[in-house]
Each structure stands twice: as structure tokens, then as C-alpha cells.
Amino acid sequence: SYDFWAVGMNCCSGHIPDFHCGDFDNPKARAGLRLMNDGQRAYFRLAVQQAEAAYKIRAPHPVFVYWMEDPMSEVNAYQDAGYKYWLIGVSVVA
């Protein structure tokens, strides 16, 4: 079965297999950051179902990831943004 799926928004034509999402052209990209946005999950699941039908494959529990070179830097950016908003919130209350 196919468990891991690299995903992105508005980066494929949909007519031919032309994946251009994330760091697709970066030879150092060897990792992915898991999709956490539930609002997008249904659309990616639909694409997987289409691939299952078209290529006669199975993907009962797909895990969606954004393909990138350094997912930890992205996680750190999320942490930095969270800290910034926390500081703003604390300064407004104080």
C-alpha cells in the first residue's frame, strides 16, 4: 500500500503527472512536514482516491506531507510565531 503522499496547493496541472509542489526541484529535499490542516485533508484524500482508481493501487491510511529540505526550520518558524503572539497577548493584558 502507499502510505505517504507529498502534497501542495495549486502546483500540479491535474491533467498529467507533473508534481511541482514544495521543494520538488531541490535535490537536498529528503523530508516532509505532516499536514495538520483538517480543512485541506478531504481534498487531498479525494486526490488519493482518484490515484487509487486510475493506477489500481491501495492507500487505506494516507499520510500527507509537504515535501521540503528542512522541516525542522519550518517547525521552528511556527514556534517563533507562537512566541511572538504570546508576547503580544501578554503585553496587551499587562
Side-chain angles (χ1 to χ4, degrees), residues 26-32 67-71:
N26 182 350
K28 294 181 181 178
R30 299 181 189 272
W67 189 245
M68 58 184 62
E69 178 180 350
D70 187 11

Side-chain angles (χ1 to χ4, degrees), residues 4-7 19 21-23 28-36 63-75 78:
F4 295 97
W5 295 78
V7 297
F19 182 80
C21 303
D23 286 343
K28 294 181 181 178
R30 299 181 189 272
L33 182 62
R34 187 171 183 171
L35 169 75
M36 300 304 287
V63 175
F64 302 111
V65 296
Y66 295 108
W67 189 245
M68 58 184 62
E69 178 180 350
D70 187 11
M72 282 310 298
S73 67
E74 191 76 18
V75 170
Y78 291 155

Side-chain angles (χ1 to χ4, degrees), residues 52-66:
E52 286 177 308
Y55 300 107
K56 296 179 177 52
I57 59 174
R58 291 189 54 238
H61 305 290
V63 175
F64 302 111
V65 296
Y66 295 108

Side-chain angles (χ1 to χ4, degrees), residues 13-52:
S13 71
H15 303 292
I16 58 172
D18 63 341
F19 182 80
H20 292 100
C21 303
D23 286 343
F24 78 97
D25 59 348
N26 182 350
K28 294 181 181 178
R30 299 181 189 272
L33 182 62
R34 187 171 183 171
L35 169 75
M36 300 304 287
N37 184 339
D38 284 334
Q40 296 174 338
R41 191 175 316 280
Y43 298 106
F44 293 136
R45 182 68 180 124
L46 179 61
V48 168
Q49 289 170 345
Q50 290 174 336
E52 286 177 308

